[in-house]
Amino acid sequence: MIRRAYGLDQPVIVQFGNWVAKAAVGDFGESYFFKQRVSELIGARLPITLTLGLVGLAIAAVVSIPLGVLAAVRESTAIDRAVQVVALIGQAMPSFWLGLILMIVFGIKLAWLPVSGTGTWQHYVMPGIVLAFSAIPALTRLTRSGMIQALASDYIRTARAKGLSSGSILIKHALRNAAIPVVAIATVQLGFMLGGSIVIETVFALHGVGFLAWESIGKNDFPVVQAVVLVLALIYVGLTLLADMINAVLDPRLRSA
Amino acid sequence: MLGFLLRRLIVALLVGVTVLTIAFALTRLSGDLAIAIAGAKSR
């Protein structure tokens, strides 16, 4: 009965063909558990996950790029070492633990931010910070190494000899070149963040795609799990494409690669 | 730039198709879907 209702009595190749044909037009079937169209379920929850991912990436960029530039400008000093320690701590700290600590301190003790839900922008601050913490170390290190390499280049020496201000040299000349790998990694990190949002959304009870995936795995709701995996993978592919395009704009030599 | 974009689009499409196939195959390989839907007690 169930086999016939869900088309499981047909050969696997026929099931695959049907699934691909429907998936290509955004029809992922009906959820076994929610009794709702999967595309509607994902459509309703995707904006929450995307908002969370973008907030996380924005926080990561705002923190890591200035930190990386600072560490490069003050290379081999106490500031540089302090930045590297901060990056190391960020990498070593489990995100669910940081989330719980932030909830206790800023949500319960200080009552500055809401601990769960999605009603206002304030609901995205703590999950965004937690999500950003996983991306900050990689972006900081990459910015630092890129800036050190750029600052040692001949064109920077020429710019200094011409009397350009240090701000102009740093931002217009060095950072532009150092930003190429940072852009590539930042977009890939956004993809990781969207995938990693399963943990964060569960901790903060945000009803996004990650939370939907977690619920669906527990309920053996395969159409939803399949669709979530596919949507997240396609977003990742799209972001990689976007990174390639931005890099091609920043460095025209990459267009022939 | 157009050639570069086209090459990247083709790669993206291939990755999409691969993910589509893997997502389908993994759920089919994970066991009998009918039992998973109906519950283990329905055997």
Side-chain angles (χ1 to χ4, degrees), chain A residues 2-3 6 8 12-13 15-17 19-20 23-24 28 32 219-220 222 225-226 229-230 233-234 237-238 241 244-245 248-249 254-257, chain B residues 1 3-5 7-13 15-17 19-28 30-39 42:
Chain A
I2 283 177
R3 283 184 210 284
Y6 290 101
L8 298 170
V12 175
I13 194 76
Q15 290 180 42
F16 179 65
W19 188 68
V20 170
F28 298 106
Y32 302 155
K219 309 278 190 235
N220 285 338
F222 290 108
V225 178
Q226 270 180 335
V229 169
L230 188 63
L234 290 180
V237 170
L241 188 68
D244 285 343
M245 286 168 65
V249 171
L254 294 172
R255 290 174 207 172
S256 57
Chain B
M1 185 71 176
F4 170 80
L5 188 63
R7 279 199 303 273
R8 287 289 187 264
L9 270 174
I10 291 167
V11 172
L13 202 71
V15 174
V17 171
V19 171
L20 201 76
T21 311
I22 292 172
F24 178 85
L26 286 180
T27 47
R28 265 35 183 199
S30 62
D32 193 333
L33 282 184
I35 292 170
I37 298 163
S42 63

Side-chain angles (χ1 to χ4, degrees), chain A residues 69-83:
Chain A
V69 171
L70 184 69
V73 172
R74 302 268 181 260
E75 193 193 350
S76 301
T77 63
I79 293 173
D80 183 21
R81 284 188 198 101
V83 169

Side-chain angles (χ1 to χ4, degrees), chain A residues 103-247:
Chain A
M103 280 167 96
I104 292 167
V105 176
F106 295 103
I108 297 166
K109 298 264 185 204
L110 298 170
W112 286 354
L113 293 163
V115 290
S116 63
T118 50
T120 62
W121 63 269
Q122 289 157 317
H123 288 94
Y124 291 96
V125 175
M126 279 199 289
I129 290 171
V130 176
L131 214 51
F133 247 76
S134 59
I136 286 172
L139 294 181
T140 305
R141 281 196 186 135
L142 213 58
T143 309
R144 179 185 172 274
S145 60
M147 282 298 286
I148 288 171
Q149 210 174 356
L151 288 171
S153 305
D154 290 340
Y155 64 87
I156 296 293
R157 198 175 302 126
T158 308
R160 282 203 181 107
K162 279 184 167 179
L164 288 180
S165 67
S166 50
S168 171
I169 291 169
L170 274 180
I171 307 296
K172 278 190 187 169
H173 299 277
L175 190 57
R176 187 186 163 110
N177 284 304
I180 294 169
V182 177
V183 168
I185 295 296
T187 42
V188 172
Q189 286 284 349
L190 179 58
F192 277 132
M193 283 179 181
L194 297 177
S197 65
I198 292 178
V199 177
I200 308 299
E201 286 179 9
T202 307
V203 169
F204 287 96
L206 290 172
H207 288 235
V209 173
F211 194 72
L212 177 67
W214 181 75
E215 279 179 301
S216 306
I217 292 166
K219 309 278 190 235
N220 285 338
D221 200 346
F222 290 108
V224 180
V225 178
Q226 270 180 335
V228 169
V229 169
L230 188 63
V231 167
L232 289 179
L234 290 180
I235 290 173
Y236 194 83
V237 170
L239 289 171
T240 313
L241 188 68
L242 183 70
D244 285 343
M245 286 168 65
I246 295 171
N247 278 338

